[in-house]
Amino acid sequence: MRHPLSSIHHRFIPLMFAAAALSLGSTPGFAGSPQVLGWVEEGLIFPEKVAVKFKLDTGALTSSMHAENIELFEKNGDDWVRFTLELQDIDTDEKIEKRLEREMVRDIKVRGAGGAEERPVVMMKVCLGNQMYEEQFSLNDRDKMNYPVLIGRRTLEKVGLVDSSKTFTVEPSCTESAQ
């Protein structure tokens, strides 16, 4: 014997599936969703607008940037750091070398296989996708690393999600005035 509601139930199942499929494809449901980026993306370092590979690293807390000839000094009673930004632009293949000075935000102790070391942390502007970020970067000689810029979790929480199966999903498109 069939249950009296079973025929009604069978009529609503296709309607429920259709409604679910439509809601998945509609933009308003995903309007507030964060962007999803690959584990390696092209980014720009400002003010030089140097295009380099950024590794989006969920294992690192603080972002890191390649820097050479790092010197600590005092300016107006504050701790500052002078360093050489030496990078290869992946778009033009041009080597960019620029001596910069930034106020030191803090220093961090980084532990690795080779022991522990202290690194200065400064504020730097970078572009990822169409968004400019002014974030903290530890300075370190990353010459032996594949990626001159590492984006850590403190920055990633503002940027979006990382899909480890993807690379180069967005092109940087910021202007310095897009702050």
Side-chain angles (χ1 to χ4, degrees):
M1 177 167 187
R2 275 177 80 174
H3 190 277
L5 295 178
S6 65
S7 63
I8 294 172
H9 180 67
H10 288 294
R11 280 187 259 153
F12 283 110
I13 289 176
L15 290 173
M16 290 182 344
F17 280 118
L22 284 173
S23 69
L24 287 175
S26 65
T27 305
F30 292 109
S33 297
Q35 67 179 334
V36 179
L37 300 169
W39 71 278
V40 177
E41 293 289 351
E42 180 180 341
L44 295 174
I45 298 173
F46 279 80
E48 291 73 22
K49 288 189 175 180
V50 182
V52 296
K53 293 177 186 176
F54 287 17
K55 178 180 178 186
L56 282 59
D57 188 347
T58 60
L61 182 60
T62 303
S63 298
S64 181
M65 184 174 293
H66 175 68
E68 295 182 9
N69 306 316
I70 300 169
E71 298 174 39
L72 302 176
F73 67 99
E74 195 172 299
K75 183 175 179 179
N76 300 326
D78 296 317
D79 292 329
W80 280 65
V81 62
R82 185 177 296 124
F83 57 97
T84 303
L85 191 65
E86 188 177 302
L87 301 165
Q88 188 89 22
D89 191 300
I90 60 175
D91 288 340
T92 65
D93 206 33
E94 181 182 349
K95 188 173 183 176
I96 307 295
E97 189 171 322
K98 179 109 178 173
R99 193 79 174 146
L100 299 174
E101 291 183 358
R102 294 284 191 277
E103 185 172 4
M104 213 167 100
V105 176
R106 62 190 175 100
D107 62 352
I108 59 172
K109 184 177 265 189
V110 177
R111 290 171 187 35
E117 67 176 332
E118 293 215 5
R119 297 182 188 165
V121 177
V122 298
M123 298 298 288
M124 295 290 294
K125 287 183 187 177
V126 296
C127 171
L128 194 52
N130 63 359
Q131 189 66 43
M132 182 82 78
Y133 300 93
E134 186 168 17
E135 296 293 323
Q136 292 185 15
F137 284 86
S138 70
L139 301 176
N140 183 38
D141 187 338
R142 298 181 57 82
D143 255 347
K144 292 180 175 54
M145 307 293 191
N146 291 330
Y147 307 100
V149 176
L150 184 145
I151 303 294
R153 292 191 310 270
R154 284 194 174 113
T155 303
L156 286 175
E157 67 186 17
K158 299 169 192 154
V159 171
L161 303 174
V162 178
D163 183 338
S164 63
S165 70
K166 294 185 166 69
T167 58
F168 302 108
T169 64
V170 296
E171 283 194 35
S173 61
C174 301
T175 60
E176 194 160 12
S177 60
Q179 189 72 359

